[in-house]
Amino acid sequence: MRGESKGTWLEELNPAQRAAVTHGDGPLLVVAGAGTGKTKTLAYRVAYLIAHGVDPGRILLLTFTRRAAQEMLERASTIVARGATTTGRVWGGTFHSMAHRLLRLYAPSIGITRDFTVLDQGDAENLIHLIRHEMGLHEKEKRFPRKATCLAIYSRCVNSGEDLKVVLERDFPWCDEWEKELRELFKKYVVRKQDRNVLDYDDLLLYWMALLDAPALAEEIGGRFDHVLVDEYQDTNIVQARILLGMRRTCRNLMVVGDDAQSIYAFRGATVRNMLDFPAQFPGATIVKLEQNYRSVLPILDTANRLIAGASERFAKDLWSERRSPTRPKLVTCKDAAEQDDYVIDAVLRHYEEGVPLRRQAVLFRASHLSDTLEVELARRNIPYHKYGGLRFLEAAHVKDLLAFLRVLENPRDELAWFRILELLDGIGPTTASRIVDHVGQTGGDPRAVRSFGGSAAARAGLADLADVFDDLVPLGPKNPEAQIERIRRFYDPVFERTYENPAARVRDLISLEQIAGGYRSRHQFLADVQLDPPTSTSDLAGAPSLDEDWLVLSTIHSAKGCEWDVVYLIHAADGFLPSDLSTGSQEEIEEERRLVYVALTRAKDRLYITWPLRYYHKWYALGDDHSYAQLCRFFTNDVLETVDDVALAAPEEKDDGGSFYDVEADVRQRMRDMWE
């Protein structure tokens, strides 16, 4: 162990963290408030288990990103004397990546073969669209839901465990009339995936859960692990909770860490009930609360504590900090959005002059469009910024093209990957591509069979070149994906240059993909990692920024979870925007919006600004001054307002409905008298 004894590094933990790390056997729920060191606690728990004789290969660490698992295991390796070679044997990764790994081992037990490939969201949408078209649903007199909506409905049903009718009535009422057609569409979608030996993201969890429904398999799979550790438990869905129940039928060593106050992903199927009901699901569970915050100054925590105290159901906790500050959060009332933009930018520049880099400051908002006017003003003032969101690295068309070649090599029945490759070639459209896929299937699934397909002269030439690629790669097997990509690019690059605008800028993505592949020994593991936990953009692959690079961060609150900045500006804190008027249809939705505000407040380390405009102008009027008045976000009650300093940039104005923010008549009369004092 690092240091002279095991006790030395345990002394780096506060009492609550130490209680969690040194917990014995049985279920453990760690309620970890924002900024209380949950990553450190999990990393030290892994180290503690290994130090006390637990085989690292019998520890399962489940996180929501691969990077989170890597960070925890790297921290654990600095504690365990035997280093990374020991912690490297821990099964660490996302639920989906672990499902993929287990299914590779147990696939035949549930009727799938080990050479299955995984559809990303775009591929799944395209397959839905293909079946939708085959069913003639695009020809209906009334517009049938689009492919993305169809997949969202399907995924919500799968992840919530609820019937289609219930999901439609509650979450997609505008699609309610299509229940019968959607049910048939989803049935065909499942059959098509099975026929083509492909799984979507939801299937990975469903098939893992199905494995655990068989008592013998559940005992074997669960018996692989002496300890299961789960991060961000508040963000798990019903299926993931059932997986954990199945994994721990005989061995009850389960540690889950999370914060019910930060459960904000119901739109993805996550439910805070998993965390709130954990003590009932695992009787005798020990509960440890982490309340010492290492991120924020005490005045910010006072505001956050009072705001979340209004929640109807929660694990009661009060965050505290040894970081003191005389500066309280500021609640800034602005005349309109333009004044809000000016205030935020002026504050950003003021803190920048005080020594706070732009990238240590963040502007947060409920929905992406709420930063539109701010972005215009930032551009006008030549202030650089990065906005979190937008196109993910693997959603870029040229990156998906390149991966399609590897997917076909891995699983020649992957219909969507074939379509993506074949439609790059001259003389091949959807109909011809479908015939080629059938032809390959009839010849035993060997991709080299494209050479023997007929077709037009243009098509035959392209297929011959494609067959040359497969001639080179099929005999090599699944090893060395970097070399495979290099060979594919010799064929693909000329096609790529003809197909896409500005290829010089795009080629960087292909180079990055090839570099990533260099870290893998097998093709299927490379495909699994980049599809199940992809980099958000090529910037994820770069090193740390140089000293000259700086930018202001703009982010939705959802994207900001897990991050922290020295200065945070929460803008548009007005009812209808925060909470969103689209998310106030039930008490559960309102409670999640409250938690969303809590997440925003607890991103701030030193300074916090909450801004809201009094007036919103309606841009769709070409002339005139049509506007509506806003009200402050309902979660900032009088109790919460006692912890902030009010800043009023403009005198409140009379409301259109005859009400007023203050007595205009009395104010004018007093001003007339004051002129003669």
Side-chain angles (χ1 to χ4, degrees), residues 439-480:
H439 173 74
V440 172
Q442 292 165 7
T443 56
D446 188 335
R448 293 171 290 188
V450 296
R451 190 188 302 279
S452 60
F453 183 82
S456 66
R460 288 198 303 272
L463 289 173
D465 291 340
L466 180 60
D468 289 342
V469 177
F470 292 135
D471 284 340
D472 292 340
L473 295 181
V474 169
L476 298 179
K479 295 181 179 180
N480 199 351

Side-chain angles (χ1 to χ4, degrees), residues 347-359 361 550 569:
V348 166
L349 294 177
R350 183 173 67 253
H351 287 300
Y352 178 75
E353 292 300 323
E354 293 169 353
V356 183
L358 293 179
R359 61 180 175 273
Q361 304 185 57
D550 201 8
Y569 310 84

Side-chain angles (χ1 to χ4, degrees), residues 394 398-408 417 485 513 526-527 530-531:
L394 291 187
H398 49 289
V399 175
K400 290 171 71 73
D401 288 346
L402 205 59
L403 290 176
F405 288 87
L406 298 181
R407 287 170 50 192
V408 163
I485 291 178
L513 194 67
F526 167 67
L527 284 172
V530 298
Q531 289 186 291

Side-chain angles (χ1 to χ4, degrees), residues 326-339:
T327 306
R328 303 201 306 174
K330 286 184 168 52
L331 176 67
V332 184
T333 303
C334 308
K335 181 179 67 177
D336 52 27
E339 189 169 63

Side-chain angles (χ1 to χ4, degrees), residues 213-255:
D213 286 339
L217 282 173
E219 185 174 350
E220 181 179 347
I221 296 171
R224 281 178 166 268
F225 306 104
D226 294 330
H227 290 269
V228 176
L229 292 72
V230 186
D231 188 22
E232 303 286 8
Y233 192 62
Q234 78 281 349
D235 293 332
T236 54
N237 59 37
I238 292 294
V239 176
Q240 290 163 327
R242 289 176 181 171
I243 286 171
L244 294 174
L245 283 167
M247 293 286 289
R248 299 289 83 184
R249 284 184 179 179
T250 55
C251 175
R252 286 165 47 82
N253 292 336
L254 172 65
M255 173 186 183

Side-chain angles (χ1 to χ4, degrees), residues 84-367:
T85 56
T86 299
T87 58
R89 293 170 50 209
V90 173
W91 284 53
T94 66
F95 271 91
H96 291 87
S97 65
M98 291 300 102
H100 182 274
R101 186 171 174 182
L102 287 168
L103 288 174
R104 289 288 180 190
L105 297 173
Y106 294 97
S109 302
I110 49 175
I112 57 176
T113 59
R114 290 189 175 94
D115 63 347
F116 67 85
T117 46
V118 180
L119 304 177
D120 65 17
Q121 182 171 333
D123 293 327
E125 288 178 2
N126 289 338
L127 184 55
I128 287 269
H129 181 66
L130 181 64
I131 301 169
R132 178 179 176 271
H133 189 85
E134 292 173 353
M135 293 175 63
L137 297 175
H138 64 296
E139 298 174 343
K140 296 289 185 181
E141 183 177 344
K142 289 187 177 181
R143 185 172 68 83
F144 190 76
R146 295 185 182 276
K147 60 182 182 181
T149 303
C150 291
L151 184 63
I153 295 170
Y154 171 86
S155 187
R156 184 65 62 88
C157 292
V158 167
N159 288 304
S160 66
E162 295 175 318
D163 185 72
L164 174 61
K165 183 176 181 63
V166 174
V167 169
L168 288 176
E169 289 178 349
R170 184 190 62 223
D171 301 319
F172 301 89
W174 61 93
C175 304
D176 197 26
E177 62 182 299
W178 299 108
E179 180 190 349
K180 179 181 177 182
E181 290 83 356
L182 285 167
R183 198 176 294 276
E184 184 65 22
L185 172 65
F186 297 154
K187 186 184 301 181
K188 291 181 180 293
Y189 174 59
V190 171
V191 171
R192 182 69 65 89
K193 287 185 295 179
Q194 292 174 346
D195 289 345
R196 301 300 183 186
N197 199 33
V198 296
L199 307 182
D200 62 21
Y201 288 164
D202 295 324
D203 288 332
L204 291 168
L205 299 184
L206 285 178
Y207 279 100
W208 187 2
M209 185 172 69
L211 284 171
L212 299 172
D213 286 339
L217 282 173
E219 185 174 350
E220 181 179 347
I221 296 171
R224 281 178 166 268
F225 306 104
D226 294 330
H227 290 269
V228 176
L229 292 72
V230 186
D231 188 22
E232 303 286 8
Y233 192 62
Q234 78 281 349
D235 293 332
T236 54
N237 59 37
I238 292 294
V239 176
Q240 290 163 327
R242 289 176 181 171
I243 286 171
L244 294 174
L245 283 167
M247 293 286 289
R248 299 289 83 184
R249 284 184 179 179
T250 55
C251 175
R252 286 165 47 82
N253 292 336
L254 172 65
M255 173 186 183
V256 301
V257 181
D259 183 4
D260 54 300
Q262 297 187 70
S263 179
I264 59 173
Y265 293 117
F267 66 93
R268 294 180 184 169
T271 171
V272 71
R273 298 273 16 134
N274 286 347
M275 188 162 181
L276 294 175
D277 295 342
F278 185 87
Q281 292 175 337
F282 295 90
T286 300
I287 300 176
V288 174
K289 297 179 183 179
L290 305 185
E291 298 177 294
Q292 183 175 357
N293 180 285
Y294 296 93
R295 174 187 300 156
S296 306
V297 294
L298 193 57
I300 292 174
L301 296 180
D302 289 341
T303 302
N305 283 333
R306 292 204 186 188
L307 184 136
I308 201 62
S312 59
E313 187 177 6
R314 70 187 183 109
F315 287 107
K317 60 184 178 299
D318 285 308
L319 300 183
W320 61 276
S321 173
E322 294 179 347
R323 298 189 64 222
R324 308 286 170 168
S325 173
T327 306
R328 303 201 306 174
K330 286 184 168 52
L331 176 67
V332 184
T333 303
C334 308
K335 181 179 67 177
D336 52 27
E339 189 169 63
Q340 176 181 249
D341 295 341
D342 287 339
Y343 179 85
V344 168
I345 292 174
D346 289 345
V348 166
L349 294 177
R350 183 173 67 253
H351 287 300
Y352 178 75
E353 292 300 323
E354 293 169 353
V356 183
L358 293 179
R359 61 180 175 273
R360 296 302 312 153
Q361 304 185 57
V363 181
L364 307 184
F365 32 85
R366 173 63 177 84

